[in-house]
Amino acid sequence: MAADDVLLEVRNLEKHFPVRKGILQRTVAWVKAVDDVDIVIRRGETLGLVGESGCGKTTVGRSILRLTKPTGGKVLFRSKLLAQGGGEQIVDVAAARPREVKVLRRDMQIIFQDPYSSLDPRMTVAEIVGEPLRVQGVMARSDRRQRVLDLLRAVGLDPEHARRHPHEFSGGQRQRIGIARALALNPQLVVADEPVSALDVSIQAQVINLLQDLQEEFGLTYLFIAHDLSVVKHISDRVAVMYLGKVVELADTEELFANPKHPYTEALLSAVPVPDPDFKLDRIRLEGDVPSPVNPPSGCYFHPRCRYARDICKAEAPAYRDVGGRHQVRCHLADELSLRGVKVS
């Protein structure tokens, strides 16, 4: 992979939240929401980030954008806005100063999961979509109005909707407003945090297709966070699988679905619905509950629920390594297990 193709590189990202107790609110433990995550995102691609609820997907996205400050690690972003004399400058978002973070907001935006709670009910659509332009001061007031109308058209809304309030729209329309707001500043990277999970299935396809059209039109790069593997399969170029704060596998979409290397990925793929009533898929049931991120298991975090676990899995944490073909995995047994995949249609 050429260095110039990389837009964002995440190295050893960590985010730990304190657990406080008592009258004095002393810190008695730490929740390891994100624990040693490495991710590289190329320009123009869509990287899907999947896993069970509570595995740390959203925290990764928010840490990348500095909506929450990481505990450790680096988030290296190629910024043209902060470069001196043209070109690009590699900026560590995790360590950036507040002034730099404000500038980086123009290049890095987010689409939130809930299309209603993320929109201010007191503001009109024109005010919501135009707010990033006003805060950043990148356009004259006379030009902002036209920019808002152009964005509404781009996401499939009527310019007349600009005078309305969020409660006057359906869920799908509200999410389109959120998408328009995210695109207002012409960002390079958009973190889509489960953007269709709160929508009806019939509307999900429309929003996914819209995101793909906008990616081509505006040259966007997506980090697409979701728990629905069928949606991730449709939109993603590569997929990263998270478990208990760690990325346990990352590969091209077709490779990961057809040739999983981690037992957890195999279990997730076995749960993907198949639109054929005559086809019976052998589901893999994971025994036990997800361990607590406050006190994770020794060795491999997945070993208490893994049906292939051996002594080494319980005693030694597996390294995150490349097994060929841009396929990375965190598993001691990746070279010897033959796991089941699913066909990518």
Side-chain angles (χ1 to χ4, degrees), residues 203-215 234-235:
I203 304 300
Q204 287 184 9
Q206 297 178 20
V207 174
I208 290 296
N209 291 335
L210 172 65
L211 290 173
Q212 290 181 309
D213 292 340
L214 293 173
Q215 182 176 33
H234 178 71
I235 195 173

Side-chain angles (χ1 to χ4, degrees), residues 199-240:
L199 307 178
D200 293 339
V201 175
S202 59
I203 304 300
Q204 287 184 9
Q206 297 178 20
V207 174
I208 290 296
N209 291 335
L210 172 65
L211 290 173
Q212 290 181 309
D213 292 340
L214 293 173
Q215 182 176 33
E216 184 174 346
E217 180 179 353
F218 292 96
L220 301 172
T221 301
Y222 289 143
L223 174 62
F224 190 88
I225 300 170
H227 60 266
D228 188 334
L229 282 168
S230 59
V231 172
V232 169
K233 179 178 69 173
H234 178 71
I235 195 173
S236 301
D237 299 301
R238 293 186 300 142
V239 178

Side-chain angles (χ1 to χ4, degrees), residues 246-267:
K246 293 182 180 289
V247 172
V248 296
E249 187 165 7
L250 190 153
D252 293 342
T253 301
E254 186 172 350
E255 166 67 12
L256 183 127
F257 275 76
N259 187 30
K261 294 291 187 181
H262 197 282
Y264 178 62
T265 307
E266 179 191 35

Side-chain angles (χ1 to χ4, degrees), residues 90-111:
I90 298 178
V91 181
D92 183 2
V93 182
R97 297 188 297 272
R99 180 188 63 82
E100 295 174 323
V101 172
K102 182 177 180 180
V103 175
L104 287 170
R105 290 280 182 262
R106 293 160 56 182
D107 254 347
M108 309 169 73
Q109 285 290 314
I110 185 171
I111 301 169

Side-chain angles (χ1 to χ4, degrees), residues 7 43 77-78 80 106-107 186-190 219-221:
L7 177 65
R43 297 180 191 275
F77 182 79
R78 289 182 174 270
K80 295 179 180 179
R106 293 160 56 182
D107 254 347
N186 282 323
Q188 293 190 71
L189 175 69
V190 174
L220 301 172
T221 301

Side-chain angles (χ1 to χ4, degrees), residues 115 119 124-126 128-129 146-166 168-183 203 206-207 210 214 217:
L119 304 178
T124 65
V125 170
I128 290 171
V129 177
Q146 186 58 48
R147 174 64 175 167
V148 168
L149 298 180
D150 291 342
L151 287 167
L152 293 180
R153 292 190 186 96
V155 299
L157 294 176
D158 195 300
E160 293 182 1
H161 292 159
R163 297 190 296 270
R164 300 182 184 178
H165 290 78
E168 300 179 71
F169 297 91
S170 66
Q173 288 174 320
R174 286 196 290 263
Q175 193 60 290
R176 290 172 187 265
I177 296 169
I179 293 171
R181 177 179 59 185
L183 299 181
I203 304 300
Q206 297 178 20
V207 174
L210 172 65
L214 293 173
E217 180 179 353

Side-chain angles (χ1 to χ4, degrees), residues 62-140:
R62 288 175 173 270
S63 298
I64 287 173
L65 298 178
R66 263 288 288 274
L67 294 178
T68 181
K69 187 173 175 59
T71 305
K74 294 184 177 182
V75 180
L76 304 178
F77 182 79
R78 289 182 174 270
S79 172
K80 295 179 180 179
L81 299 175
L82 291 175
Q84 302 293 331
E88 294 180 333
Q89 178 181 344
I90 298 178
V91 181
D92 183 2
V93 182
R97 297 188 297 272
R99 180 188 63 82
E100 295 174 323
V101 172
K102 182 177 180 180
V103 175
L104 287 170
R105 290 280 182 262
R106 293 160 56 182
D107 254 347
M108 309 169 73
Q109 285 290 314
I110 185 171
I111 301 169
F112 294 98
Q113 177 178 354
D114 189 340
Y116 190 74
S117 64
S118 63
L119 304 178
D120 191 330
R122 299 166 297 180
M123 298 172 67
T124 65
V125 170
E127 291 170 335
I128 290 171
V129 177
E131 186 176 28
L133 301 170
R134 178 182 60 80
V135 171
Q136 292 284 343
V138 295
M139 276 188 181

